[in-house]
Amino acid sequence: MILITGGAGQLATEFQRFFKKNSIDFLAPNRLELDITDFDKVRDYILKNDVGLVINCAAYNLVDKAEEEKDSAYMINAYAVENLAKICRERKIEFVTYSTDFVFDGNKGNEYIEEDEINPISVYGRSKALGERLALEENRKTFIFRVSWVFGEEGKNFIEQVKTWANTRESIKIATDQISSPTSTKDIVEITWKILNLRDRDYGIYHLSGSEETSRYEQGKYILERLGYKGNILEGRCLDFTSYDIRPKYSKLSSRKIENILRIKIPNWRSRVDEYLKVGKTYLVTGGAGFIGANFVKYMLEKHNDIKLVVLDKLTYAGNLGTIREELKDSRVSFVKGDICNRELVENIFMQHDIDYVVNFAAESHVDRSIENPQIFLETNILGTQNLMEVAKTFWT
Ligand SMILES: NC(=O)c1ccc[n+]([C@@H]2O[C@H](COP(=O)([O-])OP(=O)(O)OC[C@H]3O[C@@H](n4cnc5c(N)ncnc54)[C@H](OP(=O)(O)O)[C@@H]3O)[C@@H](O)[C@H]2O)c1
């Protein structure tokens, strides 16, 4: 059994998605269910559940607040990590935990490699650095992945902050004097898993960050442009947002070691941000030739330049291709004639078009006909909908 601690966090959530998709058993208690600072409870939990691998995603991440809540930061980021590593050693199992680019002072002026000397300039950075050292001392079978500017779905992260600003502010100031690289939880999870599955495992520290460095300003500007923000984007400094001067100015991590071992290239952060923002997403619109469906198709094409639509319609009595004649000439639209109950057809559409969303307008809707032929209503309205959901579940989890 795999234990993922800090189960409600953004990295932990990504791990759960990945394990579910790959049918791998795991437990992912949140902070209330398993507080990693409750040393005895953690030990009991690991023993009781016969845990064979611990992936520690729990952390104290509030960089500014840590300056005032030093004890909490050290307890969670250092001593609880030490305890986890120790229990793993006693059970002779591997321990995975995550650290940060903030263990460096930011003065190198060049990408940081694993051998570079650390010199954290914040309580947060020092607590994570101590966690690294204690974990490595406690358990030889420890993997530490240093990551930077993490973002994952459902997370509290910089992209979400920028999205909130975009919705509420006419001008937005972002710091130009902090440089590193945004890193997607998807890449962290996939790469962690690849490293864990190598035959010859080399324990210790790995740097894992998105390709290409950027400033917060450049990253924010990129996100705002993708969101179609029309306000002013202003250059600021870190100290415009906080009174603590505790963030390294330059902390890009070099992922060369991991890339060489796995013979991969970590994706550029921009492509991952696009994915996160769901730019260029593909919608399957069923019943798209019907009255509401056709209007939805027109609306989406008018409002969103960067989408693709796959219109699936059986074209019986309610659907009429004439209603979307003009839209079908648009290169963003593909049309498929067929039934939502047809599993093979729906699966092929998902496979060919890499569907991100399904908007289901396909329905038997003429009440009079339900008296004459109730069977077809059950098939389309119930089984057809279930079919769409089943296929989506297979492709998305
Ligand atoms: N986020 C970043 O930009 C970033 C940058 C560099 C490194 N990292 C590192 O990457 C790893 C994953 O970060 P993340 O972005 O997934 O963080 P996250 O979303 O903040 O998740 C951390 C989780 O840990 C939980 N937690 C805190 N104290 C706990 C405790 N005592 N016991 C159990 N759970 C506890 C938190 O719960 P509550 O919310 O209830 O407190 C939260 O759900 C962490 O090691 C982090 O330090 C993150």
Side-chain angles (χ1 to χ4, degrees):
M1 179 63 69
I2 298 174
L3 169 63
I4 307 163
T5 59
Q10 51 179 353
L11 182 58
T13 306
E14 192 72 56
F15 265 113
Q16 291 168 64
R17 236 190 312 271
F18 179 84
F19 286 153
K20 271 187 210 150
K21 191 172 173 185
N22 291 287
S23 307
I24 296 166
D25 289 337
F26 65 87
L27 292 163
N30 63 27
R31 185 182 191 150
L32 286 177
E33 291 159 341
L34 185 68
D35 184 332
I36 61 164
T37 63
D38 188 340
F39 293 1
D40 292 336
K41 191 170 172 194
V42 170
R43 178 182 298 278
D44 287 349
Y45 191 97
I46 290 177
L47 297 187
K48 195 177 92 206
N49 291 293
D50 197 19
V51 169
L53 169 67
V54 174
I55 302 179
N56 177 36
C57 297
Y60 183 106
N61 281 332
L62 304 170
V63 178
D64 290 321
K65 219 169 169 194
E67 297 297 311
E68 290 140 33
E69 295 187 347
K70 196 173 164 194
D71 289 349
S72 296
Y74 273 89
M75 186 53 92
I76 297 166
N77 291 344
Y79 304 119
V81 174
E82 177 187 32
N83 184 53
L84 284 166
K86 186 173 169 190
I87 301 169
C88 289
R89 172 174 48 81
E90 290 164 5
R91 286 183 61 79
K92 299 188 174 51
I93 62 175
E94 290 171 336
F95 176 53
V96 177
T97 192
Y98 293 87
S99 188
T100 168
D101 51 335
F102 279 29
V103 296
F104 296 111
D105 59 18
N107 296 327
K108 184 180 176 193
N110 211 332
E111 289 190 352
Y112 282 99
I113 58 171
E114 287 80 354
E115 291 74 26
D116 281 327
E117 205 171 308
I118 59 169
N119 184 28
I121 55 174
S122 62
V123 168
Y124 167 72
R126 282 193 286 276
S127 69
K128 295 294 277 186
L130 182 59
E132 288 184 357
R133 183 164 66 74
L134 294 174
L136 290 171
E137 281 172 8
E138 271 303 336
N139 188 350
R140 189 185 60 77
K141 291 184 173 182
T142 293
F143 287 106
I144 294 172
F145 296 94
R146 287 186 186 139
V147 295
S148 58
W149 297 9
V150 177
F151 64 96
E153 282 176 40
E154 302 116 26
K156 283 182 224 142
N157 54 51
F158 183 66
I159 304 181
E160 288 306 313
Q161 183 166 46
V162 173
K163 278 165 77 177
T164 307
W165 288 339
N167 289 328
T168 52
R169 297 185 184 184
E170 282 173 10
S171 74
I172 298 172
K173 196 196 264 188
I174 313 176
T176 54
D177 58 345
Q178 204 196 336
I179 293 173
S180 188
S181 186
T183 311
S184 137
T185 51
K186 270 195 184 147
D187 293 321
I188 300 176
V189 166
E190 277 170 24
I191 289 169
T192 300
W193 195 242
K194 280 187 183 146
I195 290 283
L196 279 170
N197 281 285
L198 288 174
R199 195 139 46 99
D200 299 318
R201 295 212 269 297
D202 203 1
Y203 300 106
I205 296 178
Y206 292 84
H207 286 181
L208 200 177
S209 90
S211 289
E212 201 184 307
E213 67 191 44
T214 184
S215 68
R216 279 295 191 201
Y217 174 83
E218 287 300 333
Q219 186 197 0
K221 192 161 165 266
Y222 183 80
I223 296 165
L224 290 166
E225 283 166 3
R226 303 309 258 178
L227 293 173
Y229 178 68
K230 299 282 185 284
N232 298 318
I233 308 170
L234 309 171
E235 294 188 2
R237 326 249 330 138
C238 276
L239 285 175
D240 294 334
F241 304 92
T242 166
S243 49
Y244 296 111
D245 192 9
I246 50 171
R247 286 169 173 76
K249 298 281 176 265
Y250 180 97
S251 55
K252 170 78 178 86
L253 300 170
S254 161
S255 308
R256 213 163 306 127
K257 173 176 161 183
I258 240 171
E259 290 183 332
N260 286 343
I261 292 173
L262 297 176
R263 297 206 185 99
I264 53 159
K265 180 87 189 122
I266 297 178
N268 185 290
W269 62 266
R270 288 169 207 271
S271 62
R272 290 304 198 207
V273 167
D274 284 353
E275 259 181 47
Y276 184 97
L277 292 173
K278 311 217 184 299
V279 172
K281 292 287 161 179
T282 304
Y283 292 71
L284 170 60
V285 185
T286 68
F291 181 62
I292 305 178
N295 278 289
F296 179 79
V297 168
K298 289 173 201 284
Y299 174 86
M300 291 299 279
L301 292 175
E302 194 186 311
K303 292 278 177 199
H304 304 281
N305 286 329
D306 51 12
I307 56 163
K308 289 191 205 125
L309 301 179
V310 181
V311 176
L312 170 64
D313 202 300
K314 202 172 160 190
L315 296 181
T316 46
Y317 54 90
N320 175 5
L321 265 192
T323 55
I324 49 170
R325 188 179 301 115
E326 285 310 307
E327 287 69 26
L328 292 176
K329 293 178 194 157
D330 192 310
S331 60
R332 293 171 292 169
V333 181
S334 320
F335 177 75
V336 180
K337 183 171 185 294
D339 192 326
I340 59 168
C341 299
N342 183 338
R343 175 93 184 202
E344 203 184 331
L345 174 74
V346 176
E347 278 177 351
N348 278 338
I349 293 174
F350 266 74
M351 212 133 48
Q352 274 174 26
H353 297 276
D354 203 8
I355 299 295
D356 298 295
Y357 297 101
V358 178
V359 187
N360 180 28
F361 294 109
E364 285 292 338
S365 53
H366 287 202
V367 179
D368 295 353
R369 286 172 185 256
S370 71
I371 297 163
E372 289 153 22
N373 185 3
Q375 179 67 25
I376 186 82
F377 278 71
L378 299 179
E379 281 168 13
T380 304
N381 296 354
I382 298 176
L383 299 179
T385 307
Q386 187 206 16
N387 189 40
L388 292 172
M389 291 196 293
E390 288 287 331
V391 176
K393 201 160 90 183
T394 318
F395 277 80
W396 293 343
T397 52

